Each structure stands twice: as C-alpha cells, then as structure tokens.
Amino acid sequence: MQDSGCGEIDIAWRAGTLLGEGPVWLQDRGQLAFVDIKGGRICLFDPVTGEGRDIDCVGQPSFIYPTNRPGELIYGSNRSLRRIAGGGEDTLLCEIPAPDGTRTNDAAVDPTGRLFLSMSHDAETDPIGGLYVFDG
C-alpha cells in the first residue's frame, strides 16, 4: 500500500479497463460490480479472494445495479436497459425513447426502487441528453 496523502490506497484488481465507471456493491454476492464502457463488459470483483472476472455484454454499458431478484443485474447500454440473469443470460428489457445519438450515462436507484438514468450525447457536442425514470 502507498500513502496517498489522504490515507493508504492500493490497486485492488488490474482489470484492464478502457473506461471503467460506476462501481456498485452486490450484497447478495459479496462482490463489487462496475462497467467498462468502451470495453463492452461488466466487471465483477471479489474482495475476499482478490479475483475478478468479466461478463461480455451488448454495446457500451454505462451503469449496473442489482435488481430485487437474486443474482440478477440490470444495466444501461446505448439506448436500452438490459438484464443479466443469475445464469448469465443477457436480455433486452426495453428501448429508451431518447434522441438519436444519445447513450445511457449514469444512474441511481431511489428508496422505492425506481431507476433514474441520465442520457448523454455520445459525441458530447450537442446538449440533447436528459433524465429518465424506469419503474419496472
């Protein structure tokens, strides 16, 4: 570990991401999940074993969250919401009615379980993004 000036900090896993984003704790698995947007994958890290693994996914995943179903994950990619079941099956949940040229960006879940997600212009040149809510 190295002292960074704000305490000790060290790399937990050299995941080899191109654009890592959005770490979220998966309580039922005891793992941390995050996405590699440009690498098109979901990364799962087990802090007990120190091992990580990847799940290839569709498009450019930008966020991931657990659902209320054990082992199931929901993620945003391009202009869609997708689900990964406990066995690894990746299915389309819905297309997001957002303008052409946009993609999912960040997301948060409110206390009632609704998923709020932002959309951004993929090239980041036109202010056409917005905030969407999924209550499914």
Side-chain angles (χ1 to χ4, degrees):
M1 292 231 175
Q2 298 177 355
D3 187 342
S4 65
C6 62
E8 290 186 1
I9 189 166
D10 200 8
I11 189 158
W13 172 36
R14 293 197 186 280
T17 55
L18 293 173
L19 182 56
E21 290 276 351
V24 63
W25 183 252
L26 306 177
Q27 185 67 34
D28 66 331
R29 298 179 186 203
Q31 295 179 330
L32 188 79
F34 61 101
V35 298
D36 181 1
I37 296 174
K38 298 300 181 183
R41 62 194 175 121
I42 293 165
C43 304
L44 299 172
F45 175 70
D46 185 328
V48 173
T49 66
E51 295 180 8
R53 69 181 183 93
D54 299 330
I55 300 172
D56 290 330
C57 54
V58 175
Q60 296 183 76
S62 63
F63 63 82
I64 187 162
Y65 280 98
T67 70
N68 58 3
R69 296 179 186 101
E72 185 178 87
L73 303 170
I74 185 172
Y75 72 96
S77 182
N78 300 344
R79 292 187 326 173
S80 66
L81 291 178
R82 303 192 64 87
R83 173 181 21 231
I84 296 182
E89 306 86 27
D90 187 325
T91 57
L92 176 68
L93 273 175
C94 65
E95 296 290 339
I96 300 166
D100 289 341
T102 59
R103 69 166 179 85
T104 58
N105 191 28
D106 290 323
V109 177
D110 77 2
T112 67
R114 295 179 301 174
L115 179 72
F116 285 84
L117 58 127
S118 62
M119 300 292 291
S120 298
H121 184 241
D122 196 31
E124 300 178 5
T125 58
D126 294 329
I128 58 174
L131 183 67
Y132 293 75
V133 62
F134 176 69
D135 192 12

